[in-house]
Amino acid sequence: MPTEEMKSRAERLVTRAEALPNLGMMQRAEQAVILAQETAALISAMCQRLNDMTPYIDEV
């Protein structure tokens, strides 16, 4: 995933997280779960990118 796309996804997650207090309790809970899932997916993509940039220890 390109850097700009990661930044854009992260910014959207922050914006949505900041809006949580304005929602009702059930809607807030649902959105919090969705945000957690999307955050985990973004972190996974970032970790994969770091792995791709790092040489394997066995190869060094």
Side-chain angles (χ1 to χ4, degrees):
M1 176 182 311
T3 301
E4 289 305 315
E5 185 177 344
M6 284 187 189
K7 286 180 183 178
S8 177
R9 282 178 67 180
E11 289 169 358
R12 284 193 308 268
L13 288 170
V14 168
T15 300
R16 290 172 53 202
E18 289 172 343
L20 285 178
N22 301 326
L23 302 174
M25 187 172 19
M26 290 301 294
Q27 201 174 19
R28 186 181 321 151
E30 291 170 355
Q31 288 300 309
V33 170
I34 293 168
L35 282 170
Q37 292 170 333
E38 292 178 7
T39 300
L42 180 59
I43 290 170
S44 176
M46 294 168 84
C47 289
Q48 183 59 51
R49 184 148 182 219
L50 285 172
N51 284 340
D52 293 344
M53 295 187 313
T54 305
Y56 293 107
I57 294 174
D58 294 339
E59 295 176 3
V60 177

